[in-house]
Amino acid sequence: MLRLERDISTMAQLVAETALDSDELRFRAVRQTLTRRLLDDPVLYYDELSDAELSCLTRQRGFLTARVADLTGLVPEIRAEGIAMVDADDDLTDVRMPEQGTHGHITLLLAEYLARVGGPVTADRLAQRVRELAAEHGGFWAKSAREPGMEAELVEQAVALLAALGLVSRTADGAEPRPALARYAVGEPVVRESGTVRMPTQRKAGPV
């Protein structure tokens, strides 16, 4: 009977140690996943994390962001909705915003429009917005971008870039802005006492 009790005690201890090791392994795996996402994702949104990932990030945020910053030179921007590791020197970025040229200009203008609307916008409405923008800015665009029927292709290119940067989410029939897009919103003109008007500028908001 005494031997049986010892065996049971030993087995219970082994099970407890295995469970502890498993918890530690799971924690390490979650931490590695978060580190990889901080490196790979333009924006790490909290609402995209599992409960375990969010719990780990809440406890390890300072350590993880400092580690990535030390190893890569990326600068952490931490806001209410998420974290972005910003490439201040533009050395590690393979997708840029804004880009040069016609497509970059159109993407930037649509980003400002989506940030101002603040909700889902259909592809048809975005195409209509491109036509409106063409009337105002078309003189600076490539001739092909001003041709009738090009709006849908221009919208698709813009939305694809914005989605790749974590600035919008695709919907069934268009796009919806994500919090990071708020940095491309344009503020209202400010009238100074002298009577001059200061042009609107980009204002930072959201997670990055």
Side-chain angles (χ1 to χ4, degrees), residues 67-119:
R67 183 184 182 192
V68 172
D70 289 342
L71 293 175
T72 65
L74 297 174
V75 180
E77 287 194 11
I78 303 171
R79 302 294 177 92
E81 297 87 359
I83 303 172
M85 301 301 299
V86 179
D87 182 11
D89 296 327
D90 201 24
D91 291 332
L92 304 177
T93 302
D94 56 355
V95 179
R96 289 172 173 80
M97 173 74 179
E99 293 181 316
Q100 296 182 349
T102 298
H103 294 304
H105 189 208
I106 293 172
T107 301
L108 185 61
L109 292 171
L110 287 181
E112 186 277 326
Y113 171 71
L114 283 163
R116 187 174 70 250
V117 171

Side-chain angles (χ1 to χ4, degrees), residues 24 78 138 157:
E24 177 64 21
I78 303 171
Q157 291 175 343

Side-chain angles (χ1 to χ4, degrees), residues 20-117:
L20 179 61
D21 290 342
S22 297
D23 288 341
E24 177 64 21
L25 290 174
R26 281 193 291 270
F27 175 77
R28 291 180 182 179
V30 169
R31 192 165 66 180
Q32 289 175 353
T33 297
L34 292 171
T35 301
R36 185 166 57 249
R37 292 193 62 177
L38 285 170
L39 285 167
D40 293 342
D41 295 359
V43 183
L44 178 61
Y45 288 108
Y46 300 141
D47 63 7
E48 295 177 344
L49 300 177
S50 67
D51 291 342
E53 290 170 339
L54 183 58
S55 176
C56 178
L57 183 59
T58 301
R59 289 180 289 150
Q60 296 277 306
R61 184 177 64 187
F63 168 78
L64 292 174
T65 54
R67 183 184 182 192
V68 172
D70 289 342
L71 293 175
T72 65
L74 297 174
V75 180
E77 287 194 11
I78 303 171
R79 302 294 177 92
E81 297 87 359
I83 303 172
M85 301 301 299
V86 179
D87 182 11
D89 296 327
D90 201 24
D91 291 332
L92 304 177
T93 302
D94 56 355
V95 179
R96 289 172 173 80
M97 173 74 179
E99 293 181 316
Q100 296 182 349
T102 298
H103 294 304
H105 189 208
I106 293 172
T107 301
L108 185 61
L109 292 171
L110 287 181
E112 186 277 326
Y113 171 71
L114 283 163
R116 187 174 70 250
V117 171

